Amino acid sequence: MRKLFVLLLTMLFIVGITTSAYAAYTGITPPGYTTGPVPPDTPGAEQFFPIDIAPGVGDAGDNWVGNANNTGEGVEDNSGNSKGKVIKSDGMRDTGTDATPGTQRTHGEYKNNTNSCASCHQTHTGAAEGLLMKDSVFNTCTACHDGTLGFYNVFTPSSAGTFGGTQAGNASVHLANGSLEHRIAPGGNLNLAGSDNGEWTELFDCASCHAAHGSYSDRLLHYNPNNMADTPIENGGQKLKDYPILETIPEANENSVDYFVYRTTAGIAGITGEDPATPVIVVMKKKTTTNRNVYPPTTTYSYERDTTPWLFGYEFDEYHFGRQYSTVFYNDALPVNQAVYYNKQMTRVLINYGKAYAKTGGTAAQANVGNIANATRADIGLVYIVKLANATYPMTEISNWDGLSITAVDPRIYDETGFGVAIGKYCGACHTDYRASSGGETGMYDIAFRHTTNNDSYTCLKCHFAHGTDVTIMKDAKDQTVATLVAGGASPTDATAYMLDKNPSSALKRYTNMAVCWKCHTTSHSAELKNNTYYWDNWAPNNAGTVPEGPNNW
């Protein structure tokens, strides 16, 4: 039976009284929904499901098709046995000389004989914009990611949490069913202040966080969340807007610019695959190096090439006449003539977006729009990249489907140097004001004192799940769960009551209630928590420096 969504939006969201982008249970059953029966992967859950009029075939939301190619097979089957009926690239050869059939990827890395498109799209009978086979992005994604495939089921627990929580477990979810605008995100632009600062009125769904056709990040995390890669840096995004093109490197110091656009040669820029003498344009970023091997520590500044891929994309003007590119070079000597030179853009420049450089293109006669020697300024969008594995904490293969590795993320990666800042930036694309440093009032849309979220040690995913949470996957300050407590001898009733979050919303938290505060602040900023009788009466030598034992050894 199709899962349209687990948790539903309260009426408070509709009238705008609350600003939360996650929702808890309300007991509201909307028209067209029923509350039973529950699929086997979530026994006993009080979840909401649509009425399944034609099991195994489809429903009115997808024109009675059920999946692409009009087969109607497998979409309603949560056994994991129907993946080959749903994924249209099963048994495909990669090349004409490869005699071994396998499975091509559905999301990106498409081969020249691809059939992957048919897994999600219907060319002439789409049920939604984008020729989707279901009537929304969420319903299209969960046609497969609801257990049908037998892996990557978003309704069962993973390192990202779960959309399959229960009302009794005080569940909360990142409400990705298209019922809320981006601006509702806590820390977001609720009142739509300013301009050119994100797509705040877009509806929040799976595609707000994931790029279904491929990305530079693990887990298909979007290269341009909330359009922030196309939003100027000064407005909270990652775009270099109207930056002049320099031919000399400025002095780097504490007050110098963080980025500049630089015209140089491929050899000097360290670009491989080009003649070293080839003129190129690249982005340079400031590097800060602190030497903590001396006291007091010393800090030096320098500039290095930024290799973050550049954003490809464009929008038409209101007349559908000219394209305004996200990454583009301008020649200010061009005449103001939209019929020939739209906004003075150099349309013949060759740009390697993935390798982050540009070089001269076009013919000699097109030098005014192709020769980078004539470029005077640039717009360059820097994409978002989030990696979730390294040599120390690699992804774990949990299964393999015809050569495609099915993996799980090790949550310890969230605390690794070089990973946390990127996670904070990514979440901050919508939760803009929550990307902050402790110590003072901060915020672009609302001023407040906030916990640090913009360094590698304190980042969003250390405290919150991306998809959702409930009592069955939350932890206490000692990283115990309901399951580990029961395994240690507690009754399921007592363990659940102990772990249940008591707040109106569990807020996607990894740790129940405010247990994460107690977990961290017994070692960090801990003076006020350790100078008391309780702490030392419960301290044990083999547990030194960590959370003390609590009642019943929990």
Side-chain angles (χ1 to χ4, degrees):
M1 182 163 286
R2 173 65 58 246
K3 302 174 179 134
L4 280 182
F5 208 67
V6 181
L7 306 176
L8 296 176
L9 180 65
T10 69
M11 291 305 294
L12 290 178
F13 280 117
I14 298 174
V15 299
I17 294 177
T18 184
T19 61
S20 177
Y22 40 76
Y25 270 97
T26 65
I28 300 172
T29 304
Y33 286 70
T34 181
T35 55
V38 176
D41 57 336
T42 50
E46 307 94 335
Q47 297 174 318
F48 293 116
F49 301 96
I51 298 173
D52 189 4
I53 302 175
V57 176
D59 53 51
D62 60 6
N63 301 330
W64 305 102
V65 175
N67 62 16
N69 292 356
N70 291 355
T71 64
E73 297 181 51
V75 172
E76 306 289 341
D77 179 4
N78 290 314
S79 68
N81 297 322
S82 60
K83 55 183 179 289
K85 300 176 182 179
V86 180
I87 298 299
K88 303 305 176 182
S89 59
D90 189 32
M92 300 277 297
R93 295 182 181 180
D94 283 352
T95 69
T97 59
D98 183 0
T100 305
T103 298
Q104 295 183 15
R105 293 190 180 277
T106 300
H107 300 297
E109 302 180 27
Y110 301 115
K111 307 298 182 180
N112 290 328
N113 65 337
T114 185
N115 194 44
S116 296
C117 313
S119 296
C120 304
H121 301 281
Q122 293 169 191
T123 308
H124 301 292
T125 57
E129 184 179 3
L131 305 179
L132 296 178
M133 65 137 176
K134 300 291 286 183
D135 60 359
S136 70
V137 170
F138 179 82
N139 290 345
T140 299
C141 296
T142 56
C144 289
H145 292 286
D146 62 346
T148 295
L149 299 178
F151 52 83
Y152 295 150
N153 181 355
V154 297
F155 296 96
T156 56
S158 71
S159 59
T162 180
F163 286 123
T166 67
Q167 183 176 11
N170 193 9
S172 58
V173 296
H174 225 158
L175 202 62
N177 64 348
S179 61
L180 297 175
E181 295 179 352
H182 290 177
R183 67 190 179 104
I184 302 299
N189 188 6
L190 177 64
N191 296 317
L192 301 178
S195 60
D196 194 15
N197 59 0
E199 292 184 338
W200 296 105
T201 58
E202 290 293 308
L203 295 178
F204 181 73
D205 55 30
C206 308
S208 297
C209 294
H210 300 279
H213 299 103
S215 80
Y216 296 98
S217 297
D218 291 331
R219 290 299 188 255
L220 294 175
L221 291 178
H222 209 292
Y223 51 86
N224 186 19
N226 197 26
N227 201 41
M228 282 299 187
D230 205 15
T231 293
I233 290 175
E234 58 270 24
N235 291 348
Q238 293 194 168
K239 183 173 185 174
L240 283 60
K241 176 75 171 176
D242 274 334
Y243 272 51
I245 297 173
L246 307 183
E247 295 186 335
T248 58
I249 297 178
E251 179 185 357
N253 55 56
E254 182 179 3
N255 299 315
S256 62
V257 295
D258 292 326
Y259 294 93
F260 66 91
V261 183
Y262 183 44
R263 183 163 34 227
T264 182
T265 62
I268 294 175
I271 297 171
T272 59
E274 298 282 358
D275 186 307
T278 301
V280 295
I281 293 177
V282 297
V283 170
M284 303 291 287
K285 65 179 179 181
K286 185 165 65 177
K287 179 181 179 180
T288 303
T289 303
T290 300
N291 182 1
R292 298 190 178 277
N293 293 322
V294 298
Y295 187 83
T298 59
T299 301
T300 58
Y301 303 90
S302 61
Y303 283 108
E304 63 181 11
R305 181 180 165 225
D306 181 49
T307 57
T308 303
W310 296 353
L311 178 67
F312 172 78
Y314 56 84
E315 291 184 357
F316 285 100
D317 64 14
E318 59 181 310
Y319 307 107
H320 208 73
F321 172 79
R323 294 178 179 181
Q324 180 62 51
Y325 287 87
S326 299
T327 295
V328 66
F329 297 90
Y330 299 95
N331 179 356
D332 286 316
L334 293 175
V336 181
N337 182 348
Q338 286 193 334
V340 181
Y341 308 115
Y342 184 75
N343 287 345
K344 300 189 176 186
Q345 295 181 99
M346 299 180 69
T347 55
R348 298 295 179 179
V349 172
L350 294 178
I351 303 176
N352 189 322
Y353 295 88
K355 303 300 183 183
Y357 72 93
K359 67 177 185 177
T360 295
T363 65
Q366 298 169 326
N368 57 354
V369 292
N371 191 331
I372 63 169
N374 295 321
T376 55
R377 56 190 172 90
D379 294 344
I380 300 176
L382 304 178
V383 304
Y384 284 71
I385 300 178
V386 177
K387 296 297 185 181
L388 299 172
N390 64 5
T392 305
Y393 301 117
M395 290 196 187
T396 304
E397 182 172 278
I398 54 178
S399 65
N400 189 288
W401 179 28
D402 292 340
L404 294 184
S405 182
I406 309 304
T407 60
V409 173
D410 187 331
R412 290 176 293 181
I413 194 68
Y414 305 147
D415 200 25
E416 283 287 276
T417 299
F419 289 81
V421 170
I423 292 170
K425 284 184 178 180
Y426 187 83
C427 298
C430 289
H431 302 282
T432 306
D433 283 347
Y434 285 13
R435 184 171 170 246
S437 299
S438 296
E441 292 180 293
T442 64
M444 181 173 290
Y445 305 113
D446 183 56
I447 303 298
F449 290 90
R450 309 178 195 278
H451 195 286
T452 299
T453 57
N454 64 353
N455 67 33
D456 288 327
S457 296
Y458 306 102
T459 190
C460 314
L461 292 181
K462 288 189 69 174
C463 297
H464 299 276
F465 287 110
H467 287 172
T469 193
D470 88 338
V471 68
T472 60
I473 61 174
M474 297 182 92
K475 300 178 180 181
D476 70 1
K478 293 182 66 179
D479 288 332
Q480 297 180 115
T481 64
V482 169
T484 60
L485 291 173
V486 170
S491 72
T493 299
D494 288 344
T496 299
Y498 163 78
M499 199 67 68
L500 186 66
D501 193 284
K502 305 301 182 184
N503 296 290
S505 171
S506 52
L508 313 185
K509 289 182 292 187
R510 290 181 181 271
Y511 293 87
T512 188
N513 298 305
M514 301 304 289
V516 70
C517 304
W518 182 231
K519 174 181 174 64
C520 290
H521 289 294
T522 49
T523 56
S524 172
H525 300 286
S526 58
E528 294 186 14
L529 294 178
K530 287 187 174 181
N531 283 295
N532 59 78
T533 302
Y534 171 82
Y535 183 91
W536 296 106
D537 282 352
N538 290 280
W539 178 82
N542 63 354
N543 201 32
T546 62
V547 179
E549 303 294 342
N552 301 319
N553 198 35
W554 286 3

